[in-house]
Amino acid sequence: MEDRALPAAGFLYWVGASTVAYLALRASYSLFRAFQVWCVGNEAWVGPRRGEWAEEKFKVETRTIAVDFSLDDIYDKIKTGLSGLEIGVLVNNVGMSYEYPEYFLEVPDLDNTIKKLININILSVCKVTHLVLPGMVERSKGVILNISSASGMLPVPLLTVYSATKAFVDFFSQCLHEEYKSKGIFVQSVLPFFVATKMSKIRKPTLDKPSAETFVKSAFKTVGLESRTNGYLIHSLMGSIHASLPRWIYFKIVIGLNKSLRNRYLKKTKKN
C-alpha cells in the first residue's frame, strides 16, 4: 500500500507546485502590467507622430465643426469639414445620459429620449469612425478612442437605455480593434466610472471621482497598452470589484443606489 501511495503523493506534489508557480507568475505579470500602465504609461501614442490633426488636442491646429449629434442628417456636413485633413487621433466623446435614474416606461418623453440616446451614443460613434478610419487605414497608422462607460461593463437598471448604448460602444470598439490592429490602427474602449463633469453633475472632484483633466492624463497612459480600460487606477480597481461580485449582489447594490438617486431627484423636484 505504501509503495502505491508514493507515486500518487508525488503526482499531487507536482500538481500543487505547478499550480502555485502558475498563480505566482500570473500575479507577477499582473503587477508588472499594472506598473507599466499606471506608472510608466505610453503617452507618446497620442503625440504628433500620429498626425497633425485631432478633434481636440492641446498644442495642435484645431478646426471646429458645430453640429447637433441628436440629429441624424449631420454627417455630410462633418465629412465636408474633415475633407483634406490627416487625422491621426479620433476621440469619440459625445454622450448623453438620463436626467435621473428612472424605470424604462416612466422615462420622461421616452420616444424622444430613446432616439437621442441612440443617435448621440451609438450612431455618432459608427458614423464618425466611418468618416475617419479609411484615411488611417491608408496611412497604416491611427488611434481611435471611444468613450464608453462603466455602465457598459455590466447592466445598470434604471439607466437601461444608456447602459445598453454604452455596452454597444464597448463591443464595437473591441471588435474594431481586432479587425484593424494588423493594419496599424489602435482602437480603445474607455470605460470610466463617475468623473467630475457637467453630465455627471459632480462639481467637486474626489479620489474616486476625478476631474476631467486628471482622468484624461491617466487615460492617455493606457493608449497602446490596453485596448479596453477604465482609464484610471481607482476606477480599474472598482471595475474589478464589480465584476467579481455575484450578479444578485451587484444588482441589489446598483438598483438600491439608483432608486435612492431617483427618489432624491423626484423629491427635490416635487414629482413624487
Side-chain angles (χ1 to χ4, degrees):
M1 292 293 293
E2 290 182 0
D3 291 342
R4 293 178 182 177
L6 287 175
F11 173 75
L12 292 174
Y13 168 81
W14 285 110
V15 169
S18 299
T19 301
V20 170
Y22 171 74
L23 293 175
L25 285 172
R26 281 201 63 175
S28 299
Y29 177 75
S30 296
L31 289 172
F32 169 75
R33 286 290 294 173
F35 176 79
Q36 184 183 32
V37 172
W38 303 115
C39 298
V40 178
N42 196 27
E43 295 178 63
W45 260 77
V46 290
R49 70 189 184 93
R50 291 288 153 190
E52 299 176 358
W53 288 86
E55 288 190 333
E56 292 183 23
K57 185 76 174 70
F58 190 58
K59 292 184 179 180
V60 298
E61 191 173 356
T62 303
R63 178 180 299 179
T64 300
I65 306 169
V67 294
D68 181 353
F69 278 99
S70 67
L71 306 176
D72 55 12
D73 59 352
I74 58 174
Y75 295 98
D76 285 342
K77 179 180 180 181
I78 295 176
K79 182 178 181 179
T80 300
L82 297 179
S83 179
L85 304 185
E86 183 180 307
I87 298 175
V89 180
L90 169 63
V91 183
N92 281 313
N93 191 39
V94 294
M96 172 187 169
S97 186
Y98 285 24
E99 179 69 16
Y100 65 96
E102 184 56 279
Y103 293 91
F104 178 69
L105 292 179
E106 297 177 35
V107 172
D109 195 12
L110 180 57
D111 284 343
N112 193 42
T113 298
I114 291 172
K115 182 178 179 180
K116 283 185 175 181
L117 282 165
I118 291 174
N119 281 352
I120 294 173
N121 295 354
I122 293 179
L123 185 64
S124 68
V125 176
C126 296
K127 296 286 279 187
V128 176
T129 298
H130 183 206
L131 293 176
V132 173
L133 183 57
M136 293 181 173
V137 171
E138 184 179 344
R139 295 186 297 274
S140 297
K141 64 178 181 178
V143 174
I144 299 176
L145 308 179
N146 292 328
I147 310 303
S148 178
S149 167
S151 299
M153 297 175 65
L154 291 168
V156 181
L158 277 74
L159 291 176
T160 299
V161 182
Y162 173 74
S163 177
T165 61
K166 288 303 184 178
F168 173 91
V169 174
D170 182 33
F171 274 54
F172 176 78
S173 304
Q174 292 182 66
C175 293
L176 206 65
H177 178 72
E178 293 302 320
E179 288 180 9
Y180 288 96
K181 64 182 181 181
S182 64
K183 300 181 184 298
I185 314 301
F186 182 85
V187 183
Q188 185 183 66
S189 175
V190 185
L191 304 116
F193 283 79
F194 285 118
V195 176
T197 63
K198 289 183 179 179
M199 190 175 84
S200 67
K201 300 178 183 177
I202 298 171
R203 297 180 180 179
K204 187 177 180 181
T206 59
L207 181 63
D208 63 325
K209 302 175 184 66
S211 67
E213 292 78 12
T214 298
F215 179 83
V216 169
K217 185 176 180 180
S218 173
F220 272 165
K221 293 180 179 180
T222 70
V223 179
L225 296 176
E226 293 187 321
S227 61
R228 188 173 187 258
T229 181
N230 293 110
Y232 181 62
L233 177 58
I234 303 300
H235 288 187
S236 180
L237 295 173
M238 292 167 64
S240 297
I241 292 170
H242 282 207
S244 66
L245 289 173
R247 190 58 67 95
W248 70 270
I249 294 178
Y250 164 79
F251 277 130
K252 188 175 182 65
I253 293 171
V254 171
I255 291 176
L257 173 62
N258 280 342
K259 279 184 177 180
S260 175
L261 293 173
R262 173 183 183 269
N263 293 338
R264 193 184 312 169
Y265 176 88
L266 295 178
K267 183 176 181 180
K268 183 179 179 180
T269 57
K270 299 179 180 178
K271 289 184 179 180
N272 65 345

